[in-house]
Amino acid sequence: MGMGGESSTRTAPHSGGTGRTPAGGRTGQRLSGLAVALGLVLFLGGFAWGAVVYRPYTVPTSSMTPTIGVGDRVLAQRVDGDEVRRGDVVVFHDRTWADNAPVVKRVVAVGGDTVSCCTHGKLTVNGKQIDEPYLKGGPAEITDFPVVKVPEGRLFLLGDERQGSLDSTAHLQDAARGTVSRADVTARVDAVVWPMKGMLERPSGFAELGELSTPGPLRTIVWLVVAGAVLVLGGAAYGPVATWLGRSRSRNRTEPAGAR
Protein backbone atom coordinates (compact mmCIF):
# COMPACT_ATOMS: atom_id res chain seq x y z
CA MET A 1 0.00 0.00 0.00
CA GLY A 2 1.34 3.43 -1.01
CA MET A 3 1.82 6.27 1.44
CA GLY A 4 -0.04 9.57 1.63
CA GLY A 5 -3.47 8.03 1.98
CA GLU A 6 -3.44 6.48 -1.48
CA SER A 7 -6.12 3.90 -2.04
CA SER A 8 -6.50 0.95 -4.38
CA THR A 9 -9.35 -1.32 -5.38
CA ARG A 10 -9.78 -5.04 -5.46
CA THR A 11 -12.26 -6.98 -7.56
CA ALA A 12 -14.03 -10.14 -6.55
CA PRO A 13 -12.42 -13.12 -8.27
CA HIS A 14 -14.26 -14.82 -11.13
CA SER A 15 -15.39 -18.45 -10.81
CA GLY A 16 -13.48 -18.95 -7.58
CA GLY A 17 -10.18 -18.28 -9.34
CA THR A 18 -10.46 -21.47 -11.42
CA GLY A 19 -10.97 -19.73 -14.79
CA ARG A 20 -13.92 -18.25 -16.63
CA THR A 21 -16.98 -20.10 -17.85
CA PRO A 22 -18.66 -19.00 -21.10
CA ALA A 23 -20.87 -15.94 -20.79
CA GLY A 24 -24.21 -16.93 -19.34
CA GLY A 25 -23.00 -20.36 -18.19
CA ARG A 26 -22.99 -23.68 -19.97
CA THR A 27 -26.73 -24.24 -19.60
CA GLY A 28 -27.51 -20.86 -21.09
CA GLN A 29 -25.13 -21.49 -23.99
CA ARG A 30 -26.73 -24.84 -24.70
CA LEU A 31 -30.23 -23.39 -24.61
CA SER A 32 -29.25 -20.54 -26.92
CA GLY A 33 -27.73 -23.07 -29.35
CA LEU A 34 -30.90 -25.13 -29.27
CA ALA A 35 -32.97 -21.98 -29.88
CA VAL A 36 -30.88 -21.10 -32.93
CA ALA A 37 -31.07 -24.65 -34.30
CA LEU A 38 -34.84 -24.86 -33.79
CA GLY A 39 -35.29 -21.39 -35.23
CA LEU A 40 -33.40 -22.34 -38.38
CA VAL A 41 -35.54 -25.45 -38.80
CA LEU A 42 -38.76 -23.43 -38.46
CA PHE A 43 -37.53 -20.55 -40.61
CA LEU A 44 -36.16 -22.64 -43.48
CA GLY A 45 -38.95 -25.20 -43.17
CA GLY A 46 -41.58 -22.48 -43.46
CA PHE A 47 -39.98 -21.07 -46.59
CA ALA A 48 -39.61 -24.55 -48.11
CA TRP A 49 -43.25 -25.39 -47.35
CA GLY A 50 -44.38 -22.11 -48.87
CA ALA A 51 -42.31 -22.72 -52.02
CA VAL A 52 -43.93 -26.13 -52.47
CA VAL A 53 -47.51 -25.04 -51.79
CA TYR A 54 -47.64 -21.52 -53.26
CA ARG A 55 -46.75 -19.70 -56.46
CA PRO A 56 -46.42 -15.92 -56.84
CA TYR A 57 -48.19 -14.09 -59.65
CA THR A 58 -48.36 -10.48 -60.74
CA VAL A 59 -51.82 -9.47 -62.01
CA PRO A 60 -51.32 -7.32 -65.12
CA THR A 61 -54.87 -5.96 -65.54
CA SER A 62 -57.52 -4.19 -63.47
CA SER A 63 -60.24 -6.78 -64.15
CA MET A 64 -60.19 -7.99 -60.51
CA THR A 65 -60.38 -4.59 -58.82
CA PRO A 66 -61.03 -3.72 -56.08
CA THR A 67 -60.04 -7.17 -54.76
CA ILE A 68 -56.78 -7.25 -56.73
CA GLY A 69 -55.39 -4.13 -58.36
CA VAL A 70 -53.33 -3.86 -61.50
CA GLY A 71 -49.72 -4.82 -60.74
CA ASP A 72 -50.60 -6.43 -57.40
CA ARG A 73 -48.50 -9.42 -56.33
CA VAL A 74 -50.52 -12.42 -55.13
CA LEU A 75 -49.77 -15.82 -53.62
CA ALA A 76 -51.80 -18.66 -55.09
CA GLN A 77 -52.01 -22.14 -53.62
CA ARG A 78 -51.34 -24.96 -56.07
CA VAL A 79 -54.58 -26.97 -56.35
CA ASP A 80 -56.25 -29.43 -58.67
CA GLY A 81 -59.28 -28.23 -60.57
CA ASP A 82 -61.47 -30.67 -58.62
CA GLU A 83 -60.77 -28.67 -55.45
CA VAL A 84 -62.22 -25.42 -56.82
CA ARG A 85 -65.45 -24.11 -55.30
CA ARG A 86 -67.82 -21.24 -56.03
CA GLY A 87 -66.39 -17.89 -55.02
CA ASP A 88 -62.74 -18.91 -55.42
CA VAL A 89 -60.34 -16.59 -57.20
CA VAL A 90 -58.30 -18.90 -59.43
CA VAL A 91 -55.38 -18.86 -61.83
CA PHE A 92 -55.92 -20.81 -65.05
CA HIS A 93 -54.61 -21.24 -68.60
CA ASP A 94 -57.01 -21.36 -71.54
CA ARG A 95 -55.73 -20.72 -75.06
CA THR A 96 -59.04 -19.21 -76.17
CA TRP A 97 -58.63 -16.57 -73.45
CA ALA A 98 -54.87 -15.99 -73.63
CA ASP A 99 -52.20 -17.88 -75.54
CA ASN A 100 -49.67 -18.53 -72.78
CA ALA A 101 -50.39 -16.02 -70.03
CA PRO A 102 -52.13 -17.11 -66.82
CA VAL A 103 -55.55 -15.54 -66.22
CA VAL A 104 -56.97 -14.58 -62.80
CA LYS A 105 -60.77 -14.55 -62.34
CA ARG A 106 -63.44 -15.48 -59.79
CA VAL A 107 -65.45 -18.69 -60.11
CA VAL A 108 -69.15 -17.86 -59.83
CA ALA A 109 -70.66 -21.13 -61.07
CA VAL A 110 -69.58 -24.76 -61.42
CA GLY A 111 -70.74 -27.70 -63.51
CA GLY A 112 -74.51 -28.20 -63.33
CA ASP A 113 -75.24 -24.60 -62.23
CA THR A 114 -77.34 -22.09 -64.11
CA VAL A 115 -76.02 -18.54 -63.93
CA SER A 116 -77.39 -15.21 -65.12
CA CYS A 117 -77.25 -11.52 -64.39
CA CYS A 118 -78.81 -9.55 -63.06
CA THR A 119 -81.76 -9.60 -60.66
CA HIS A 120 -82.02 -6.32 -58.79
CA GLY A 121 -78.39 -5.70 -59.72
CA LYS A 122 -77.21 -9.04 -58.31
CA LEU A 123 -75.70 -12.11 -59.87
CA THR A 124 -78.09 -15.08 -59.88
CA VAL A 125 -76.91 -18.68 -59.53
CA ASN A 126 -79.43 -21.53 -59.45
CA GLY A 127 -82.14 -18.95 -58.87
CA LYS A 128 -80.43 -17.44 -55.83
CA GLN A 129 -79.34 -13.81 -55.73
CA ILE A 130 -75.71 -13.71 -54.62
CA ASP A 131 -74.40 -11.12 -52.18
CA GLU A 132 -70.87 -10.15 -53.26
CA PRO A 133 -69.34 -7.85 -50.62
CA TYR A 134 -65.94 -8.01 -52.33
CA LEU A 135 -67.36 -5.81 -55.09
CA LYS A 136 -67.27 -2.95 -52.55
CA GLY A 137 -70.46 -1.43 -53.89
CA GLY A 138 -69.25 -1.41 -57.49
CA PRO A 139 -71.69 -2.01 -60.35
CA ALA A 140 -72.60 -5.65 -60.91
CA GLU A 141 -74.99 -5.01 -63.80
CA ILE A 142 -73.96 -6.78 -67.01
CA THR A 143 -75.90 -6.30 -70.25
CA ASP A 144 -76.71 -9.09 -72.72
CA PHE A 145 -75.94 -11.86 -70.23
CA PRO A 146 -78.42 -14.68 -70.84
CA VAL A 147 -78.92 -17.72 -68.63
CA VAL A 148 -76.00 -20.12 -69.03
CA LYS A 149 -76.08 -23.77 -68.05
CA VAL A 150 -72.54 -24.71 -67.02
CA PRO A 151 -71.49 -28.14 -68.36
CA GLU A 152 -70.14 -30.71 -65.94
CA GLY A 153 -66.42 -30.41 -65.32
CA ARG A 154 -66.35 -26.74 -66.30
CA LEU A 155 -66.43 -23.36 -64.56
CA PHE A 156 -68.02 -19.96 -65.25
CA LEU A 157 -65.76 -17.05 -64.21
CA LEU A 158 -66.16 -13.30 -63.81
CA GLY A 159 -63.85 -10.45 -62.92
CA ASP A 160 -64.68 -8.39 -59.85
CA GLU A 161 -64.63 -5.30 -62.06
CA ARG A 162 -67.77 -6.41 -63.87
CA GLN A 163 -67.97 -3.60 -66.40
CA GLY A 164 -64.53 -3.94 -67.96
CA SER A 165 -63.43 -7.54 -67.36
CA LEU A 166 -62.78 -9.85 -70.30
CA ASP A 167 -64.26 -12.85 -68.56
CA SER A 168 -66.76 -15.61 -69.39
CA THR A 169 -69.26 -13.01 -70.62
CA ALA A 170 -66.80 -12.02 -73.35
CA HIS A 171 -66.62 -15.64 -74.58
CA LEU A 172 -70.32 -16.55 -74.64
CA GLN A 173 -70.14 -17.16 -78.39
CA ASP A 174 -67.35 -19.69 -78.02
CA ALA A 175 -68.13 -23.40 -78.30
CA ALA A 176 -67.90 -23.75 -74.51
CA ARG A 177 -70.16 -20.69 -73.95
CA GLY A 178 -67.54 -18.89 -71.90
CA THR A 179 -66.81 -21.78 -69.56
CA VAL A 180 -63.36 -23.10 -68.64
CA SER A 181 -62.35 -26.67 -67.89
CA ARG A 182 -61.52 -27.47 -64.27
CA ALA A 183 -58.36 -29.12 -65.58
CA ASP A 184 -57.10 -25.71 -66.76
CA VAL A 185 -56.98 -24.36 -63.18
CA THR A 186 -53.48 -24.38 -61.69
CA ALA A 187 -53.85 -22.41 -58.45
CA ARG A 188 -56.25 -20.63 -56.07
CA VAL A 189 -55.37 -17.13 -54.85
CA ASP A 190 -55.07 -16.91 -51.06
CA ALA A 191 -53.66 -13.44 -50.45
CA VAL A 192 -52.43 -10.20 -51.94
CA VAL A 193 -48.92 -9.75 -50.58
CA TRP A 194 -47.84 -6.59 -52.39
CA PRO A 195 -49.19 -4.16 -51.50
CA MET A 196 -49.99 -5.87 -48.19
CA LYS A 197 -53.76 -6.37 -48.49
CA GLY A 198 -53.66 -9.72 -46.72
CA MET A 199 -55.93 -12.73 -47.10
CA LEU A 200 -58.85 -12.53 -49.51
CA GLU A 201 -62.34 -12.17 -48.04
CA ARG A 202 -64.40 -15.32 -47.76
CA PRO A 203 -67.07 -15.52 -50.52
CA SER A 204 -69.90 -16.01 -48.01
CA GLY A 205 -72.61 -15.20 -50.56
CA PHE A 206 -72.13 -18.63 -52.15
CA ALA A 207 -72.35 -20.58 -48.87
CA GLU A 208 -76.01 -21.61 -49.33
CA LEU A 209 -75.20 -23.22 -52.67
CA GLY A 210 -72.59 -25.63 -51.35
CA GLU A 211 -69.32 -26.07 -49.52
CA LEU A 212 -66.78 -23.25 -49.74
CA SER A 213 -63.03 -23.70 -50.03
CA THR A 214 -60.99 -23.45 -46.86
CA PRO A 215 -57.99 -21.08 -46.78
CA GLY A 216 -54.60 -22.60 -47.47
CA PRO A 217 -51.81 -22.90 -44.89
CA LEU A 218 -50.40 -19.42 -45.57
CA ARG A 219 -51.04 -18.10 -42.05
CA THR A 220 -49.35 -21.15 -40.51
CA ILE A 221 -46.37 -20.75 -42.82
CA VAL A 222 -46.00 -17.07 -41.90
CA TRP A 223 -46.10 -17.91 -38.18
CA LEU A 224 -43.44 -20.59 -38.65
CA VAL A 225 -41.14 -18.14 -40.43
CA VAL A 226 -41.70 -15.39 -37.84
CA ALA A 227 -41.23 -17.78 -34.89
CA GLY A 228 -38.08 -19.15 -36.49
CA ALA A 229 -36.65 -15.68 -37.01
CA VAL A 230 -37.38 -14.72 -33.39
CA LEU A 231 -35.68 -17.86 -32.07
CA VAL A 232 -32.61 -17.38 -34.26
CA LEU A 233 -32.22 -13.73 -33.31
CA GLY A 234 -32.92 -14.40 -29.64
CA GLY A 235 -30.50 -17.32 -29.47
CA ALA A 236 -27.77 -15.43 -31.31
CA ALA A 237 -28.20 -12.42 -29.03
CA TYR A 238 -27.97 -14.46 -25.83
CA GLY A 239 -24.16 -14.61 -25.72
CA PRO A 240 -23.51 -10.87 -26.19
CA VAL A 241 -26.30 -9.96 -23.77
CA ALA A 242 -25.00 -12.39 -21.13
CA THR A 243 -21.49 -11.00 -21.57
CA TRP A 244 -22.72 -7.44 -21.14
CA LEU A 245 -24.72 -8.37 -18.04
CA GLY A 246 -21.70 -10.20 -16.59
CA ARG A 247 -19.46 -7.17 -17.04
CA SER A 248 -22.12 -4.95 -15.50
CA ARG A 249 -22.33 -7.18 -12.42
CA SER A 250 -18.53 -7.31 -12.21
CA ARG A 251 -18.32 -3.52 -12.12
CA ASN A 252 -20.97 -3.43 -9.40
CA ARG A 253 -18.95 -5.88 -7.29
CA THR A 254 -15.78 -3.74 -7.43
CA GLU A 255 -15.02 -2.54 -3.90
CA PRO A 256 -12.75 0.24 -2.58
CA ALA A 257 -9.91 -1.26 -0.53
CA GLY A 258 -9.51 1.81 1.75
CA ALA A 259 -6.31 3.38 3.17
CA ARG A 260 -4.13 1.46 5.60
Side-chain angles (χ1 to χ4, degrees):
M1 192 70 185
M3 299 182 64
E6 294 179 357
S7 64
S8 61
T9 61
R10 63 174 181 269
T11 303
H14 296 278
S15 305
T18 60
R20 297 184 179 182
T21 59
R26 292 180 181 178
T27 301
Q29 291 294 318
R30 288 172 182 170
L31 289 177
S32 67
L34 287 174
V36 170
L38 178 59
L40 285 174
V41 170
L42 294 179
F43 187 81
L44 297 177
F47 269 111
W49 186 12
V52 170
V53 174
Y54 286 95
R55 294 186 62 184
Y57 292 93
T58 299
V59 178
T61 70
S62 61
S63 66
M64 283 299 295
T65 55
T67 305
I68 306 172
V70 59
D72 284 1
R73 193 78 166 170
V74 302
L75 283 181
Q77 181 186 4
R78 302 169 194 258
V79 296
D80 293 329
D82 292 341
E83 300 176 58
V84 173
R85 302 287 183 266
R86 300 177 190 89
D88 289 347
V89 177
V90 298
V91 181
F92 64 94
H93 292 79
D94 187 308
R95 290 187 178 181
T96 63
W97 291 50
D99 288 335
N100 295 312
V103 182
V104 179
K105 303 293 179 188
R106 187 182 296 273
V107 176
V108 297
V110 299
D113 289 345
T114 56
V115 56
S116 63
C117 191
C118 292
T119 304
H120 303 299
K122 292 184 177 181
L123 184 74
T124 303
V125 181
N126 298 342
K128 174 178 173 52
Q129 297 176 37
I130 306 299
D131 290 324
E132 299 181 277
Y134 43 79
L135 297 179
K136 303 299 184 185
E141 191 72 39
I142 303 172
T143 58
D144 301 323
F145 180 8
V147 175
V148 174
K149 176 76 171 180
V150 182
E152 292 296 335
R154 302 190 71 85
L155 307 167
F156 196 87
L157 306 106
L158 298 177
D160 285 358
E161 208 298 89
R162 298 290 161 83
Q163 295 287 356
S165 175
L166 296 177
D167 48 34
S168 287
T169 61
H171 295 272
L172 291 175
Q173 303 307 314
D174 296 349
R177 297 205 66 191
T179 63
V180 171
S181 172
R182 282 183 177 272
D184 292 333
V185 174
T186 58
R188 178 175 54 223
V189 178
D190 245 8
V192 179
V193 294
W194 187 261
M196 290 290 291
K197 295 180 181 178
M199 302 290 286
L200 297 191
E201 295 181 25
R202 303 299 298 140
S204 56
F206 295 92
E208 292 185 20
L209 298 176
E211 182 183 5
L212 301 179
S213 295
T214 57
L218 183 58
R219 284 194 174 97
T220 302
I221 290 171
V222 170
W223 277 112
L224 286 177
V225 171
V226 171
V230 169
L231 285 172
V232 169
L233 294 175
Y238 176 81
V241 170
T243 299
W244 179 82
L245 289 175
R247 290 174 179 173
S248 177
R249 292 192 187 102
S250 178
R251 284 194 298 268
N252 291 337
R253 286 198 301 267
T254 299
E255 303 174 3
R260 294 182 182 176

